[in-house]
Amino acid sequence: MSATEEPAIVVRKVTKTYGSGATAFQALKGVDFEAKRGEFVMICGHSGSGKTTLLSILGCVLNATSGEVRLLGQDLSQPKESELAALRLSHIGFIFQAHNLIASLTAEENISLVLRLRGMGVSEAAAEARRKLAEVGLGEKTASLPRDLSGGQRQRVAIARALAGSPPLILADEPTAALDAQNGLAITETLRQLAKEHGHTVVVVTHDNRIFHLADRIVNIEDGLIQPGDHA
Ligand SMILES: Nc1ncnc2c1ncn2[C@@H]1O[C@H](COP(=O)(O)OP(=O)(O)OP(=O)(O)O)[C@@H](O)[C@H]1O
Ligand SMILES: [Mg+2]
């Protein structure tokens, strides 16, 4: 993908309606959002305000109902499924609110699988998986299955998986919710470093006021709309 001058993420007038007819629910009501290369942005807002919906659209997990979405210079307003899949796989690291680890694979295998899907060789993928686990403080748990890890440790495996292979966009949905203060701060500092030292664009959805001070910018979403007056 060619380097472009425009922000890594550009969202214009995006709406998302779940369902149809009498049960239709408009979760996003015309969202404008941007994030520059190397920026570390947090999105906060009450439960049900649309945070996961917006992040899922940025992560190509969900299509917007209307509006414009541009990621890394590529227009995704009318995306083909194959384009979305390719972008998701090689350019986006997504940390889900529910961690979505594969139960039958070890911590290391959960990570190396993604790298193998991107075409990386077996031993290189295993080495990168172990490096990322060490980075999130789980160097001792590479051979553990998810069921043998605590909730916070599972969340850290999911974080390591999203960081593996250094995708340019890193999107995280409540990454610190299951972590104690110390681990939450350590993970957030790792995410910030990726933005500041390596130019990744990092967007984190969070309620966690213990980590707000690490953001370049905090965006507030209420009832499907970004509120004016972003603060740094
Ligand atoms: N698949 C769906 N079908 C219908 N409505 C949905 C669906 N997913 C989400 N919603 C509704 O859309 C709104 C926004 O949901 P979303 O998950 O984006 O909220 P959120 O801000 O992430 O909340 P939380 O902080 O609880 O995770 C909510 O009112 C939710 O009930
Ligand atoms: Mg959510």
Short mmCIF file of all heavy atoms in Angstrom, two decimals, residues 62-115:
data_model
loop_
_atom_site.label_atom_id
_atom_site.label_comp_id
_atom_site.label_asym_id
_atom_site.label_seq_id
_atom_site.Cartn_x
_atom_site.Cartn_y
_atom_site.Cartn_z
N LEU A 62 -17.07 -4.95 10.37
CA LEU A 62 -18.46 -4.58 10.17
C LEU A 62 -18.51 -3.51 9.07
O LEU A 62 -17.60 -2.68 8.99
CB LEU A 62 -18.94 -3.97 11.49
CG LEU A 62 -20.41 -3.88 11.83
CD1 LEU A 62 -20.97 -5.29 11.96
CD2 LEU A 62 -20.56 -3.16 13.18
N ASN A 63 -19.55 -3.55 8.21
CA ASN A 63 -19.71 -2.51 7.20
C ASN A 63 -20.58 -1.38 7.74
O ASN A 63 -21.57 -1.64 8.41
CB ASN A 63 -20.40 -3.07 5.96
CG ASN A 63 -19.43 -3.80 5.06
OD1 ASN A 63 -18.25 -3.44 5.00
ND2 ASN A 63 -19.91 -4.82 4.39
N ALA A 64 -20.23 -0.14 7.39
CA ALA A 64 -21.10 0.99 7.71
C ALA A 64 -22.35 0.89 6.86
O ALA A 64 -22.34 0.33 5.76
CB ALA A 64 -20.36 2.29 7.43
N THR A 65 -23.46 1.44 7.37
CA THR A 65 -24.69 1.50 6.57
C THR A 65 -24.57 2.60 5.52
O THR A 65 -24.98 2.45 4.38
CB THR A 65 -25.90 1.76 7.50
OG1 THR A 65 -25.94 0.72 8.47
CG2 THR A 65 -27.20 1.77 6.72
N SER A 66 -23.99 3.75 5.91
CA SER A 66 -23.74 4.81 4.94
C SER A 66 -22.54 5.62 5.43
O SER A 66 -22.10 5.49 6.56
CB SER A 66 -24.96 5.71 4.78
OG SER A 66 -25.18 6.44 5.98
N GLY A 67 -22.03 6.47 4.54
CA GLY A 67 -20.90 7.31 4.89
C GLY A 67 -19.61 6.81 4.26
O GLY A 67 -19.61 5.82 3.53
N GLU A 68 -18.53 7.53 4.55
CA GLU A 68 -17.24 7.26 3.91
C GLU A 68 -16.24 6.73 4.93
O GLU A 68 -16.13 7.27 6.02
CB GLU A 68 -16.72 8.59 3.33
CG GLU A 68 -15.51 8.45 2.47
CD GLU A 68 -14.94 9.83 2.06
OE1 GLU A 68 -15.67 10.85 2.19
OE2 GLU A 68 -13.78 9.87 1.64
N VAL A 69 -15.54 5.67 4.55
CA VAL A 69 -14.47 5.12 5.40
C VAL A 69 -13.22 4.96 4.54
O VAL A 69 -13.26 4.27 3.52
CB VAL A 69 -14.85 3.74 5.98
CG1 VAL A 69 -13.72 3.20 6.85
CG2 VAL A 69 -16.14 3.81 6.78
N ARG A 70 -12.14 5.64 4.93
CA ARG A 70 -10.87 5.47 4.23
C ARG A 70 -9.81 5.02 5.24
O ARG A 70 -9.62 5.67 6.26
CB ARG A 70 -10.41 6.77 3.56
CG ARG A 70 -11.36 7.27 2.47
CD ARG A 70 -10.87 8.57 1.86
NE ARG A 70 -9.59 8.40 1.21
CZ ARG A 70 -9.42 7.91 -0.02
NH1 ARG A 70 -10.49 7.54 -0.73
NH2 ARG A 70 -8.22 7.77 -0.54
N LEU A 71 -9.14 3.91 4.92
CA LEU A 71 -8.08 3.41 5.79
C LEU A 71 -6.80 3.33 4.99
O LEU A 71 -6.79 2.73 3.91
CB LEU A 71 -8.40 2.01 6.31
CG LEU A 71 -9.61 1.84 7.21
CD1 LEU A 71 -9.71 0.38 7.67
CD2 LEU A 71 -9.53 2.75 8.42
N LEU A 72 -5.72 3.95 5.49
CA LEU A 72 -4.41 3.87 4.84
C LEU A 72 -4.52 4.22 3.36
O LEU A 72 -3.91 3.59 2.51
CB LEU A 72 -3.83 2.46 5.01
CG LEU A 72 -3.73 2.00 6.47
CD1 LEU A 72 -3.51 0.50 6.56
CD2 LEU A 72 -2.61 2.75 7.19
N GLY A 73 -5.33 5.24 3.06
CA GLY A 73 -5.45 5.72 1.70
C GLY A 73 -6.38 4.91 0.82
O GLY A 73 -6.57 5.21 -0.35
N GLN A 74 -6.99 3.87 1.37
CA GLN A 74 -7.87 3.01 0.57
C GLN A 74 -9.33 3.29 0.90
O GLN A 74 -9.71 3.32 2.08
CB GLN A 74 -7.53 1.55 0.88
CG GLN A 74 -8.10 0.57 -0.12
CD GLN A 74 -7.55 -0.85 0.14
OE1 GLN A 74 -6.51 -1.03 0.77
NE2 GLN A 74 -8.27 -1.83 -0.33
N ASP A 75 -10.14 3.50 -0.15
CA ASP A 75 -11.56 3.80 0.06
C ASP A 75 -12.33 2.51 0.33
O ASP A 75 -12.32 1.60 -0.49
CB ASP A 75 -12.11 4.47 -1.20
CG ASP A 75 -13.55 4.92 -1.00
OD1 ASP A 75 -14.12 4.67 0.10
OD2 ASP A 75 -14.11 5.51 -1.93
N LEU A 76 -12.99 2.47 1.48
CA LEU A 76 -13.72 1.25 1.84
C LEU A 76 -15.22 1.50 1.94
O LEU A 76 -15.94 0.79 2.64
CB LEU A 76 -13.21 0.72 3.18
CG LEU A 76 -11.77 0.26 3.16
CD1 LEU A 76 -11.35 -0.18 4.54
CD2 LEU A 76 -11.58 -0.87 2.17
N SER A 77 -15.69 2.52 1.22
CA SER A 77 -17.11 2.83 1.33
C SER A 77 -17.96 1.72 0.72
O SER A 77 -19.03 1.41 1.21
CB SER A 77 -17.40 4.18 0.67
OG SER A 77 -16.60 5.15 1.30
N GLN A 78 -17.47 1.14 -0.38
CA GLN A 78 -18.20 0.03 -1.00
C GLN A 78 -17.23 -1.13 -1.16
O GLN A 78 -16.89 -1.51 -2.28
CB GLN A 78 -18.72 0.46 -2.37
CG GLN A 78 -19.47 1.77 -2.34
CD GLN A 78 -20.82 1.65 -2.98
OE1 GLN A 78 -20.93 1.38 -4.16
NE2 GLN A 78 -21.85 1.82 -2.17
N PRO A 79 -16.82 -1.70 -0.07
CA PRO A 79 -15.72 -2.66 -0.14
C PRO A 79 -16.16 -4.02 -0.68
O PRO A 79 -17.30 -4.42 -0.52
CB PRO A 79 -15.31 -2.80 1.33
CG PRO A 79 -16.57 -2.54 2.08
CD PRO A 79 -17.36 -1.55 1.29
N LYS A 80 -15.20 -4.68 -1.33
CA LYS A 80 -15.42 -6.09 -1.67
C LYS A 80 -14.94 -6.91 -0.47
O LYS A 80 -13.99 -6.55 0.20
CB LYS A 80 -14.57 -6.47 -2.88
CG LYS A 80 -14.96 -5.78 -4.16
CD LYS A 80 -14.33 -6.55 -5.34
CE LYS A 80 -14.42 -5.76 -6.63
NZ LYS A 80 -13.33 -4.79 -6.77
N GLU A 81 -15.58 -8.05 -0.23
CA GLU A 81 -15.19 -8.87 0.92
C GLU A 81 -13.71 -9.27 0.84
O GLU A 81 -13.02 -9.30 1.85
CB GLU A 81 -16.11 -10.11 1.01
CG GLU A 81 -15.96 -10.92 2.29
CD GLU A 81 -15.91 -10.11 3.59
OE1 GLU A 81 -16.76 -9.22 3.81
OE2 GLU A 81 -14.99 -10.35 4.39
N SER A 82 -13.22 -9.52 -0.39
CA SER A 82 -11.82 -9.94 -0.53
C SER A 82 -10.87 -8.80 -0.12
O SER A 82 -9.83 -9.03 0.49
CB SER A 82 -11.54 -10.36 -1.97
OG SER A 82 -11.83 -9.30 -2.84
N GLU A 83 -11.25 -7.54 -0.45
CA GLU A 83 -10.41 -6.39 -0.05
C GLU A 83 -10.39 -6.26 1.46
O GLU A 83 -9.35 -6.01 2.07
CB GLU A 83 -10.99 -5.08 -0.62
CG GLU A 83 -10.73 -4.86 -2.08
CD GLU A 83 -11.48 -3.63 -2.60
OE1 GLU A 83 -12.26 -3.00 -1.83
OE2 GLU A 83 -11.27 -3.29 -3.76
N LEU A 84 -11.56 -6.40 2.06
CA LEU A 84 -11.66 -6.29 3.52
C LEU A 84 -10.82 -7.36 4.20
O LEU A 84 -10.09 -7.09 5.14
CB LEU A 84 -13.11 -6.45 3.98
CG LEU A 84 -14.05 -5.31 3.69
CD1 LEU A 84 -15.43 -5.62 4.25
CD2 LEU A 84 -13.53 -4.02 4.29
N ALA A 85 -10.93 -8.58 3.69
CA ALA A 85 -10.20 -9.69 4.31
C ALA A 85 -8.70 -9.44 4.22
O ALA A 85 -7.97 -9.65 5.19
CB ALA A 85 -10.58 -11.01 3.64
N ALA A 86 -8.23 -8.96 3.07
CA ALA A 86 -6.80 -8.72 2.89
C ALA A 86 -6.32 -7.62 3.82
O ALA A 86 -5.26 -7.72 4.46
CB ALA A 86 -6.51 -8.36 1.44
N LEU A 87 -7.11 -6.56 3.93
CA LEU A 87 -6.73 -5.43 4.79
C LEU A 87 -6.71 -5.86 6.26
O LEU A 87 -5.78 -5.55 7.01
CB LEU A 87 -7.75 -4.31 4.59
CG LEU A 87 -7.30 -2.90 4.96
CD1 LEU A 87 -6.18 -2.43 4.05
CD2 LEU A 87 -8.47 -1.94 4.86
N ARG A 88 -7.74 -6.61 6.65
CA ARG A 88 -7.83 -7.11 8.03
C ARG A 88 -6.61 -7.94 8.38
O ARG A 88 -6.03 -7.80 9.43
CB ARG A 88 -9.07 -8.00 8.14
CG ARG A 88 -10.09 -7.48 9.09
CD ARG A 88 -11.32 -8.32 9.25
NE ARG A 88 -11.58 -9.38 8.33
CZ ARG A 88 -12.69 -9.50 7.62
NH1 ARG A 88 -13.63 -8.58 7.68
NH2 ARG A 88 -12.87 -10.53 6.84
N LEU A 89 -6.26 -8.83 7.47
CA LEU A 89 -5.20 -9.79 7.78
C LEU A 89 -3.84 -9.12 7.89
O LEU A 89 -3.10 -9.38 8.83
CB LEU A 89 -5.17 -10.87 6.69
CG LEU A 89 -4.16 -11.99 6.91
CD1 LEU A 89 -4.47 -12.73 8.21
CD2 LEU A 89 -4.17 -12.95 5.74
N SER A 90 -3.51 -8.24 6.95
CA SER A 90 -2.12 -7.78 6.93
C SER A 90 -1.92 -6.38 7.47
O SER A 90 -0.78 -6.00 7.73
CB SER A 90 -1.57 -7.88 5.50
OG SER A 90 -2.50 -7.34 4.62
N HIS A 91 -2.95 -5.60 7.66
CA HIS A 91 -2.75 -4.21 8.07
C HIS A 91 -3.39 -3.85 9.40
O HIS A 91 -3.19 -2.74 9.89
CB HIS A 91 -3.26 -3.25 6.99
CG HIS A 91 -2.49 -3.35 5.71
ND1 HIS A 91 -1.26 -2.78 5.54
CD2 HIS A 91 -2.78 -4.00 4.57
CE1 HIS A 91 -0.82 -3.06 4.33
NE2 HIS A 91 -1.72 -3.80 3.71
N ILE A 92 -4.22 -4.73 9.94
CA ILE A 92 -4.96 -4.36 11.14
C ILE A 92 -4.74 -5.39 12.25
O ILE A 92 -4.91 -6.59 12.02
CB ILE A 92 -6.48 -4.25 10.84
CG1 ILE A 92 -6.71 -3.15 9.80
CG2 ILE A 92 -7.27 -3.96 12.12
CD1 ILE A 92 -8.11 -3.08 9.28
N GLY A 93 -4.36 -4.91 13.41
CA GLY A 93 -4.32 -5.77 14.60
C GLY A 93 -5.50 -5.41 15.47
O GLY A 93 -5.61 -4.27 15.91
N PHE A 94 -6.41 -6.35 15.69
CA PHE A 94 -7.65 -6.03 16.41
C PHE A 94 -7.69 -6.77 17.73
O PHE A 94 -7.55 -7.99 17.77
CB PHE A 94 -8.87 -6.42 15.56
CG PHE A 94 -10.13 -5.69 15.93
CD1 PHE A 94 -10.65 -4.72 15.09
CD2 PHE A 94 -10.80 -5.97 17.11
CE1 PHE A 94 -11.82 -4.03 15.43
CE2 PHE A 94 -11.96 -5.28 17.46
CZ PHE A 94 -12.47 -4.31 16.61
N ILE A 95 -7.84 -6.03 18.81
CA ILE A 95 -7.98 -6.65 20.13
C ILE A 95 -9.46 -6.56 20.50
O ILE A 95 -9.98 -5.46 20.75
CB ILE A 95 -7.10 -5.92 21.17
CG1 ILE A 95 -5.64 -5.94 20.71
CG2 ILE A 95 -7.27 -6.56 22.55
CD1 ILE A 95 -4.75 -4.94 21.41
N PHE A 96 -10.15 -7.70 20.50
CA PHE A 96 -11.60 -7.71 20.71
C PHE A 96 -11.94 -7.56 22.19
O PHE A 96 -11.16 -7.94 23.06
CB PHE A 96 -12.21 -9.02 20.20
CG PHE A 96 -12.15 -9.16 18.71
CD1 PHE A 96 -11.06 -9.75 18.09
CD2 PHE A 96 -13.17 -8.67 17.92
CE1 PHE A 96 -11.00 -9.87 16.71
CE2 PHE A 96 -13.12 -8.78 16.53
CZ PHE A 96 -12.03 -9.38 15.93
N GLN A 97 -13.16 -7.05 22.43
CA GLN A 97 -13.65 -6.89 23.81
C GLN A 97 -13.73 -8.28 24.47
O GLN A 97 -13.35 -8.46 25.61
CB GLN A 97 -15.02 -6.20 23.79
CG GLN A 97 -15.46 -5.65 25.13
CD GLN A 97 -16.60 -4.64 25.02
OE1 GLN A 97 -17.18 -4.44 23.95
NE2 GLN A 97 -16.94 -4.01 26.13
N ALA A 98 -14.22 -9.26 23.71
CA ALA A 98 -14.11 -10.66 24.14
C ALA A 98 -12.88 -11.17 23.41
O ALA A 98 -12.77 -10.97 22.21
CB ALA A 98 -15.34 -11.44 23.70
N HIS A 99 -11.97 -11.80 24.11
CA HIS A 99 -10.63 -11.95 23.52
C HIS A 99 -10.53 -12.88 22.33
O HIS A 99 -9.59 -12.82 21.56
CB HIS A 99 -9.62 -12.33 24.60
CG HIS A 99 -10.09 -13.49 25.41
ND1 HIS A 99 -10.12 -14.76 24.91
CD2 HIS A 99 -10.58 -13.55 26.66
CE1 HIS A 99 -10.60 -15.57 25.84
NE2 HIS A 99 -10.90 -14.86 26.91
N ASN A 100 -11.53 -13.79 22.14
CA ASN A 100 -11.55 -14.64 20.93
C ASN A 100 -10.30 -15.47 20.70
O ASN A 100 -9.84 -15.57 19.56
CB ASN A 100 -11.80 -13.78 19.67
CG ASN A 100 -13.18 -13.19 19.64
OD1 ASN A 100 -14.05 -13.65 20.37
ND2 ASN A 100 -13.39 -12.18 18.83
N LEU A 101 -9.75 -16.06 21.74
CA LEU A 101 -8.63 -16.99 21.53
C LEU A 101 -9.20 -18.34 21.11
O LEU A 101 -10.32 -18.70 21.49
CB LEU A 101 -7.81 -17.14 22.81
CG LEU A 101 -7.12 -15.89 23.32
CD1 LEU A 101 -6.39 -16.18 24.63
CD2 LEU A 101 -6.16 -15.32 22.28
N ILE A 102 -8.42 -19.11 20.37
CA ILE A 102 -8.85 -20.46 19.98
C ILE A 102 -8.48 -21.41 21.12
O ILE A 102 -7.32 -21.52 21.51
CB ILE A 102 -8.18 -20.87 18.66
CG1 ILE A 102 -8.63 -19.90 17.55
CG2 ILE A 102 -8.53 -22.31 18.30
CD1 ILE A 102 -7.92 -20.06 16.24
N ALA A 103 -9.52 -22.08 21.68
CA ALA A 103 -9.36 -22.83 22.93
C ALA A 103 -8.38 -23.99 22.82
O ALA A 103 -7.70 -24.33 23.79
CB ALA A 103 -10.73 -23.35 23.38
N SER A 104 -8.28 -24.58 21.64
CA SER A 104 -7.45 -25.79 21.52
C SER A 104 -6.00 -25.47 21.18
O SER A 104 -5.18 -26.37 21.06
CB SER A 104 -8.04 -26.69 20.43
OG SER A 104 -8.09 -25.97 19.21
N LEU A 105 -5.67 -24.19 21.01
CA LEU A 105 -4.29 -23.80 20.68
C LEU A 105 -3.62 -23.15 21.87
O LEU A 105 -4.27 -22.44 22.64
CB LEU A 105 -4.27 -22.82 19.49
CG LEU A 105 -4.82 -23.32 18.16
CD1 LEU A 105 -4.67 -22.24 17.09
CD2 LEU A 105 -4.14 -24.60 17.71
N THR A 106 -2.32 -23.37 22.02
CA THR A 106 -1.57 -22.71 23.10
C THR A 106 -1.47 -21.21 22.81
O THR A 106 -1.78 -20.75 21.71
CB THR A 106 -0.13 -23.26 23.20
OG1 THR A 106 0.56 -22.89 21.99
CG2 THR A 106 -0.12 -24.77 23.37
N ALA A 107 -0.99 -20.49 23.83
CA ALA A 107 -0.78 -19.04 23.67
C ALA A 107 0.08 -18.76 22.44
O ALA A 107 -0.27 -17.94 21.59
CB ALA A 107 -0.13 -18.48 24.93
N GLU A 108 1.19 -19.48 22.35
CA GLU A 108 2.11 -19.26 21.21
C GLU A 108 1.41 -19.58 19.89
O GLU A 108 1.54 -18.82 18.91
CB GLU A 108 3.35 -20.13 21.38
CG GLU A 108 4.34 -19.98 20.24
CD GLU A 108 5.54 -20.92 20.41
OE1 GLU A 108 6.10 -20.99 21.52
OE2 GLU A 108 5.90 -21.57 19.41
N GLU A 109 0.67 -20.70 19.85
CA GLU A 109 0.03 -21.10 18.59
C GLU A 109 -1.09 -20.14 18.18
O GLU A 109 -1.31 -19.90 16.98
CB GLU A 109 -0.55 -22.51 18.72
CG GLU A 109 0.54 -23.59 18.80
CD GLU A 109 0.04 -24.91 19.35
OE1 GLU A 109 -1.08 -24.96 19.92
OE2 GLU A 109 0.77 -25.90 19.24
N ASN A 110 -1.80 -19.56 19.17
CA ASN A 110 -2.83 -18.58 18.84
C ASN A 110 -2.23 -17.40 18.07
O ASN A 110 -2.88 -16.83 17.19
CB ASN A 110 -3.50 -18.06 20.12
CG ASN A 110 -4.82 -18.76 20.40
OD1 ASN A 110 -5.83 -18.45 19.78
ND2 ASN A 110 -4.81 -19.71 21.33
N ILE A 111 -1.00 -17.06 18.40
CA ILE A 111 -0.34 -15.92 17.74
C ILE A 111 0.31 -16.34 16.43
O ILE A 111 0.16 -15.69 15.40
CB ILE A 111 0.70 -15.32 18.70
CG1 ILE A 111 -0.01 -14.81 19.95
CG2 ILE A 111 1.47 -14.19 18.02
CD1 ILE A 111 0.93 -14.42 21.07
N SER A 112 1.03 -17.47 16.47
CA SER A 112 1.77 -17.86 15.26
C SER A 112 0.81 -18.20 14.12
O SER A 112 1.13 -18.01 12.95
CB SER A 112 2.74 -19.00 15.54
OG SER A 112 2.06 -20.11 16.03
N LEU A 113 -0.40 -18.67 14.47
CA LEU A 113 -1.39 -18.99 13.44
C LEU A 113 -1.65 -17.78 12.53
O LEU A 113 -1.69 -17.90 11.30
CB LEU A 113 -2.70 -19.43 14.10
CG LEU A 113 -3.89 -19.63 13.15
CD1 LEU A 113 -3.66 -20.85 12.27
CD2 LEU A 113 -5.18 -19.80 13.95
N VAL A 114 -1.83 -16.62 13.15
CA VAL A 114 -2.12 -15.42 12.37
C VAL A 114 -0.94 -15.09 11.45
O VAL A 114 -1.12 -14.71 10.29
CB VAL A 114 -2.39 -14.23 13.32
CG1 VAL A 114 -2.62 -12.95 12.54
CG2 VAL A 114 -3.58 -14.52 14.21
N LEU A 115 0.26 -15.25 11.97
CA LEU A 115 1.45 -14.94 11.18
C LEU A 115 1.61 -15.93 10.03
O LEU A 115 1.99 -15.57 8.91
CB LEU A 115 2.68 -14.95 12.08
CG LEU A 115 2.63 -13.91 13.20
CD1 LEU A 115 3.72 -14.17 14.23
CD2 LEU A 115 2.75 -12.50 12.63
#
